[in-house]
Amino acid sequence: MTSATLAMPASTSHSMSSAGRYLRHLNYEVCYVRNFTDVDDKIIVRANELGEDPLSLSSRYCSEFQSDMAHIHCQPPSVEPRVSDHIPQIIDMIKQILDNGCAYRIDGDIYFSVDKFPDYGRLSGRKLEDNRAGERVAVDSRKQNPADFALWKSAKAGEPYWESPWGPGRPGWHIECSAMSAAYLGHSFDIHGGGMDLIFPHHENEIAQSCAACNKSSVSYWVHNGFVTVDSEKMSKSLGNFFTIRQVIDLYHPLALRLFLMGTHYRSPINYSNAQLESASDRVFYIYQTLRDCEDHFSQHHEESTNDLIPHDTMNCINRFCCEFKASMSDDLHTPVVLAALSEPLKTINDLLHTRKGKKQERRLESLLALEKEIRGVLTILGLMPSSYTEVLQQLREKALKRARLMEDQVLQKIEERTLARKNKEYEKSDSIRKELAAVGIALMDGPDGTTWRPSLPVELQEQVAI
């Protein structure tokens, strides 16, 4: 089995979790490291505002983050190191950088000298003369070069600190990632992930300090995810358009959120909007309802003998789907193409289950079994496979009712009113009830056994999704 090593900050869990699943599917042995920065300037400021210990505050948020990631089916990492637990490794790396002549000491602070690393800027393409003090690099007149960055910060009042050869203090932001990745993956590993905003200065500084500590340090692939925008405007707290995962999954199922995220290539900006989330929710309902119908059919025909002979048309459909899946995932995890490719096998299942022509097809059960197996396998690799189709469909209904601000009893009462109106040939009233429910995302379906309902894309948002 071939091995693959991945390192990433906690902020990039979604894309790296997908990479890990797919690499394991390809029989790679994956070591996936997701690190937490549990002490830095912002954490200290926030903790002081709350009158809380910084490490206690960090621990609480780390736990909440882990819970959020579990909700959206992100696989847990192989190891999850925290800065506060790796101070000895960080100090050892700083010592090595100093010994190699690539850092200098000023009053208990240790700075990396970017002038000692000629390749500085090779990841971002920036040149040293482009780095002006105050623009993403700290202003400090003591520094030999304005772009030099802190490896170790001397202790200040009201801040956590650790003892070191240079006196009490704490690590700079960048050094922690180099030290922890080296501790668990070695100085050379395969994939390093992060947000697009980390390319400079964070990842640029990581490369410099890692190579300064060990000249054999290398990362084969750097992968960076795009920003999240809200209605095409960058999401930020300052603009007041910031949403947490918990706020989103209060109204939308976590698997709908996951499908929404996978609907955009990880390197591209993701435009968050209610219309797109509604569309994703509608899509996952369709997927799981199709597979639930398939499951019901299997239970009703489990005694029928089956063989390995699959109709030629079905086999062609499966082969196209498998080829599209492998080609797209191997092409930089192109998940949007995979999600689009699900359409054909899902439609084929629905045709076999519900159309007159499909019901008459020879070896129909064999076709359904083969199609369901392939779709289930892909959904599992994508992290979109629920524990139960019945359970997830009920949860999707409950979320839809909450968004519509309705109780199911109210919907059933509307269905009864509409049934009576149709019986009395009050078609205008019947249409009015259907439109009223459709406006809030509740679709009515008439069938031989009566009228049922399912979540749907609210009428007002359908035009926005189409655009």
Side-chain angles (χ1 to χ4, degrees):
M1 180 180 285
T2 307
S3 64
T5 49
L6 299 80
M8 60 167 290
S11 59
T12 355
S13 289
H14 165 65
S15 55
M16 279 301 208
S17 176
S18 299
R21 277 192 172 95
Y22 184 60
L23 288 169
R24 289 187 179 98
H25 166 69
L26 297 177
N27 289 321
Y28 282 86
E29 182 180 348
V30 177
C31 181
Y32 165 30
V33 179
R34 181 172 72 191
N35 67 289
F36 282 117
T37 298
D38 62 348
V39 56
D40 71 359
D41 295 344
K42 291 182 179 179
I43 293 170
I44 292 169
V45 169
R46 182 60 175 157
N48 289 337
E49 289 173 352
L50 297 173
E52 188 174 350
D53 175 70
L55 294 180
S56 173
L57 175 68
S58 297
S59 181
R60 178 158 53 84
Y61 278 110
C62 288
S63 296
E64 291 181 4
F65 171 84
Q66 290 165 332
S67 175
D68 289 344
M69 293 303 99
H71 272 117
I72 60 172
H73 285 211
C74 287
Q75 283 191 320
S78 310
V79 62
E80 208 162 30
R82 302 187 185 196
V83 174
S84 59
D85 295 328
H86 293 79
I87 300 300
Q89 292 89 336
I90 292 170
I91 290 174
D92 286 344
M93 181 169 276
I94 295 174
K95 284 181 181 177
Q96 190 62 53
I97 295 172
L98 280 166
D99 290 345
N100 290 340
C102 294
Y104 55 93
R105 179 177 176 178
I106 304 178
D107 302 327
D109 296 329
I110 308 296
Y111 284 96
F112 185 89
S113 176
V114 295
D115 291 320
K116 296 295 179 67
F117 187 68
D119 282 344
Y120 190 80
R122 72 187 189 193
L123 178 67
S124 63
R126 294 173 67 114
K127 297 179 180 179
L128 273 177
E129 54 267 29
D130 296 333
N131 300 332
R132 290 174 292 178
E135 295 186 6
R136 299 187 70 99
V137 287
V139 177
D140 189 333
S141 59
R142 301 175 304 160
K143 293 193 294 184
Q144 296 174 3
N145 185 311
D148 292 348
F149 54 90
L151 299 176
W152 186 260
K153 298 182 176 183
S154 57
K156 297 180 178 63
E159 295 186 357
Y161 66 87
W162 291 264
E163 293 298 331
S164 79
W166 319 288
R170 60 184 173 88
W173 172 35
H174 313 293
I175 190 66
E176 64 191 54
C177 298
S178 292
M180 289 189 285
S181 61
Y184 293 98
L185 302 175
H187 289 284
S188 296
F189 54 93
D190 299 306
I191 302 172
H192 195 318
M196 200 73 73
D197 55 331
L198 296 183
I199 295 175
F200 183 88
H202 185 50
H203 287 163
E204 198 69 76
N205 292 350
E206 269 195 70
I207 291 171
Q209 66 199 7
S210 294
C211 292
C214 175
N215 59 14
K216 293 183 179 179
S217 176
S218 68
V219 174
S220 300
Y221 300 98
W222 289 87
V223 295
H224 296 95
N225 60 277
F227 295 122
V228 177
T229 62
V230 179
D231 294 324
S232 299
E233 189 173 39
K234 183 181 177 181
M235 178 184 284
S236 70
K237 290 182 180 179
S238 61
L239 294 174
N241 62 353
F242 187 86
F243 301 97
T244 66
I245 288 175
R246 293 188 183 186
Q247 289 173 320
V248 175
I249 64 177
D250 182 53
L251 292 176
Y252 297 94
H253 196 282
L255 287 172
L257 174 58
R258 184 173 181 86
L259 184 132
F260 160 72
L261 293 170
M262 301 187 91
T264 300
H265 189 255
Y266 75 88
R267 292 187 188 268
S268 301
I270 299 178
N271 186 38
Y272 177 97
S273 69
N274 288 339
Q276 295 298 331
L277 268 174
E278 288 281 359
S279 179
S281 187
D282 187 60
R283 184 62 176 170
V284 293
F285 190 92
Y286 167 75
I287 292 171
Y288 300 139
Q289 184 65 64
T290 299
L291 296 175
R292 162 68 192 279
D293 291 347
C294 211
E295 196 175 66
D296 289 345
H297 184 82
F298 297 155
S299 66
Q300 295 166 13
H301 299 83
H302 67 278
E303 294 181 356
E304 292 183 15
S305 61
T306 63
N307 53 54
D308 295 331
L309 293 176
I310 301 171
H312 183 71
D313 288 348
T314 302
M315 203 66 245
N316 284 342
C317 174
I318 290 172
N319 288 337
R320 284 192 297 272
F321 178 53
C322 290
C323 289
E324 191 77 80
F325 168 73
K326 186 174 181 179
S328 300
M329 290 297 287
S330 297
D331 181 18
D332 200 17
L333 300 176
H334 218 95
T335 52
V337 178
V338 176
L339 295 178
L342 280 166
S343 298
E344 184 185 5
L346 288 168
K347 181 181 184 301
T348 302
I349 287 176
N350 277 306
D351 287 346
L352 289 167
L353 289 173
H354 304 300
T355 67
R356 186 175 299 177
K357 180 180 178 182
K359 290 177 181 179
K360 292 180 179 179
Q361 182 173 304
E362 292 184 11
R363 299 195 296 278
R364 176 173 170 239
L365 184 58
E366 287 81 357
S367 289
L368 289 169
L369 285 166
L371 288 162
E372 191 272 342
K373 179 182 177 182
E374 291 300 328
I375 293 173
R376 178 163 31 91
V378 167
L379 291 179
T380 299
I381 296 166
L382 296 178
L384 289 169
M385 190 64 191
S387 57
S388 161
Y389 298 136
T390 300
E391 183 179 306
V392 73
L393 288 169
Q394 180 57 30
Q395 291 167 348
L396 285 161
R397 289 188 182 94
E398 290 168 359
K399 296 289 186 185
L401 289 169
K402 188 170 186 178
R403 296 195 299 275
R405 299 182 180 180
L406 291 171
M407 302 292 288
E408 186 165 24
D409 287 346
Q410 293 174 290
V411 175
L412 297 178
Q413 179 62 38
K414 289 289 184 182
I415 289 175
E416 288 183 15
E417 291 176 13
R418 179 173 173 273
T419 301
L420 181 61
R422 294 177 72 197
K423 183 177 180 181
N424 295 333
K425 297 185 179 181
E426 298 175 293
Y427 299 120
E428 188 173 333
K429 181 179 180 180
S430 168
D431 289 344
S432 176
I433 292 171
R434 177 190 285 276
K435 290 177 181 177
E436 177 188 346
L437 291 174
V440 293
I442 305 295
L444 301 183
M445 286 99 51
D446 299 318
D449 300 323
T451 301
T452 57
W453 73 274
R454 58 151 287 175
S456 67
L457 192 61
V459 173
E460 183 183 356
L461 298 179
Q462 290 177 12
E463 294 181 2
Q464 296 180 32
V465 172
I467 294 172

